[in-house]
Amino acid sequence: MRYLTLAGLLLLAGCGNAEQEAYNEAIQKGVDILSAEQYEKAEAYFEIALENQPDDEKATAYLTQTQIYREAKDFYDSKEYAEALEKAQQVVESENGLEGLIAKATAIIEEINAKEDHIDAELDKAKAAYDSGNMDEALPVIENLLNSEELSNAYFSELKAVGEQLLADIQNKQNELAMDEAAKAKVEEESLLQGSIDRNINAYNNLSLPLRMLLATTVVDERAMSPVLLGYTLAYNFDEEYLLLNSHSGAGVGHQWFIIRDDSNTITPIEGLVNMGTSGYRDVAVDSTPVSKADLYNRYMESKDSYDLALQNVFKLPEMTMIKYEELRSYSGQ
């Protein structure tokens, strides 16, 4: 009986040794094959180890850790970063786990964090350029970032919203700057134009008095623009602040009198009369819109020789006064 018991114990020990060997072999093969990233095969070996030693903490930990890491890697490869981070963190925090899997899970976490750090850095770069007023530098940075693959990922949606708002701010600022530049350019253009106008007005005022009288007459009587005033004469005189002009051919009717106000920058037709012969004088309708002396000077420069030659037919007539004008007007309609 004693020998039978011993034989039974030896048989049981033999079975126990076989299970232990099978367990050890399965654990080792599972660990070895992990280096080849064959995670499903590693899981199978760890399951074999558990079959030989059910409820073994190490085999259970290895199996669970491998399964979770495989999920983390699958999520990472499919760019589901939130889920990948959650699973990778579980691997890192697992007890009795494999250091190799912890290192791999840590690498996943660091890679995702590096992507986020890169996005933050680019946002900061664009924001710094925006704050310094350098829109030309800020715009390509934010555009490249928003068009990047990373920022198309839902995990970075909050950072994308920040980037889109910054892009809108940059574009609005560019529009403001463009408007400011356009306004500045307009002011400069108007300043140059006004400078040209002022120079021409000054040039007009420096012309000889007869020449200025002739040019002023062109506003109310187109005959004053006739080449060299051929066939006509122009008499003028100043009375108070008014300029009186009388253009005529020396015969017949149609001799016109005009009153024009001569200001520093403009001349303004006031009214006019025309000689109708035995019928007396009648009012002549005039356009009382002020005319810039700069325009008159331009008119002079366009036909300078003709106006200069016409001066021989322009003369001052002191008898032309406002009193004389009103006297002629009293003959209106007779």
Side-chain angles (χ1 to χ4, degrees):
M1 183 70 177
R2 179 166 171 264
Y3 294 110
L4 289 173
T5 301
L6 181 59
L9 291 172
L10 291 172
L11 179 61
L12 290 172
C15 292
N17 288 337
E19 290 174 353
Q20 184 64 45
E21 289 177 2
Y23 167 84
N24 290 339
E25 181 179 3
I27 288 291
Q28 189 59 52
K29 286 185 176 180
V31 172
D32 291 342
I33 206 168
L34 280 175
S35 61
E37 299 186 352
Q38 297 185 31
Y39 303 112
E40 291 185 9
K41 286 186 177 182
E43 290 173 22
Y45 281 120
F46 295 144
E47 287 172 351
I48 291 172
L50 282 171
E51 289 175 1
N52 285 278
Q53 289 192 20
D55 301 324
D56 180 74
E57 289 185 1
K58 181 167 71 172
T60 299
Y62 286 7
L63 175 60
T64 301
Q65 189 187 36
T66 303
Q67 290 172 333
I68 296 174
Y69 175 75
R70 183 160 60 86
E71 291 177 357
K73 187 175 185 305
D74 288 343
F75 280 130
Y76 180 77
D77 291 342
S78 62
K79 304 185 186 306
E80 299 176 74
Y81 295 144
E83 294 82 355
L85 280 172
E86 180 182 357
K87 294 297 181 181
Q89 194 61 42
Q90 291 178 20
V91 173
V92 171
E93 296 173 355
S94 61
E95 297 181 1
N96 302 318
L98 293 162
E99 292 299 325
L101 286 180
I102 292 175
K104 288 178 179 291
T106 300
I108 288 178
I109 294 172
E110 290 176 348
E111 288 174 10
I112 294 174
N113 288 339
K115 292 178 185 294
E116 187 168 1
D117 290 343
H118 171 71
I119 294 171
D120 284 332
E122 291 299 287
L123 284 173
D124 289 343
K125 182 179 178 181
K127 183 65 165 58
Y130 169 78
D131 290 340
S132 66
N134 194 341
M135 301 304 113
D136 290 339
E137 179 182 335
L139 185 60
V141 174
I142 198 64
E143 286 182 335
N144 289 337
L145 182 59
L146 288 172
N147 291 328
S148 67
E149 183 179 352
E150 284 88 351
L151 217 58
S152 65
N153 192 289
Y155 178 72
F156 301 118
S157 59
E158 291 185 4
L159 292 177
K160 183 177 182 179
V162 172
E164 289 173 337
Q165 181 59 55
L166 181 55
L167 174 62
D169 292 342
I170 292 170
Q171 291 173 332
N172 289 336
K173 191 63 176 179
Q174 279 188 320
N175 290 336
E176 291 177 9
L177 292 173
M179 291 176 64
D180 290 343
E181 286 298 319
K184 181 179 178 181
K186 184 177 180 181
V187 169
E188 291 177 352
E189 181 181 356
E190 290 176 348
S191 178
L192 291 173
L193 178 60
Q194 186 60 49
S196 176
I197 292 173
D198 291 343
R199 286 190 296 272
N200 284 353
I201 290 174
N202 186 59
Y204 175 90
N205 288 330
N206 286 326
L207 293 175
S208 66
L209 181 58
L211 185 53
R212 281 185 280 142
M213 300 305 98
L214 175 60
L215 292 170
T217 305
T218 63
V219 176
V220 290
D221 190 345
E222 63 181 11
R223 292 179 300 178
M225 290 187 283
S226 301
V228 302
L229 203 62
L230 186 63
Y232 301 99
T233 59
L234 174 64
Y236 70 87
N237 193 30
F238 273 105
D239 191 359
E240 300 177 357
E241 76 268 28
Y242 295 109
L243 167 63
L244 291 91
L245 301 167
N246 173 227
S247 59
H248 59 86
S249 60
V253 295
H255 305 160
Q256 296 177 329
W257 281 61
F258 294 100
I259 298 176
I260 294 177
R261 188 173 66 245
D262 189 322
D263 299 316
S264 59
N265 296 333
T266 62
I267 62 138
T268 305
I270 303 299
E271 58 184 67
L273 294 173
V274 60
N275 183 1
M276 301 301 295
T278 58
S279 298
Y281 284 82
R282 292 184 181 177
D283 291 335
V284 174
V286 297
D287 183 353
S288 296
T289 303
V291 177
S292 172
K293 291 181 176 180
D295 293 337
L296 291 179
Y297 184 75
N298 289 333
R299 179 176 294 175
Y300 168 61
M301 294 304 296
E302 289 172 358
S303 303
K304 183 177 183 299
D305 291 342
S306 177
Y307 286 117
D308 287 343
L309 289 173
L311 292 179
Q312 61 186 334
N313 296 320
V314 179
F315 60 94
K316 183 175 182 179
L317 186 62
E319 292 81 8
M320 293 178 62
T321 63
M322 290 296 296
I323 294 175
K324 181 65 175 179
Y325 178 87
E326 293 299 332
E327 179 183 341
L328 293 175
R329 193 174 189 184
S330 67
Y331 300 145
S332 175
Q334 292 183 3

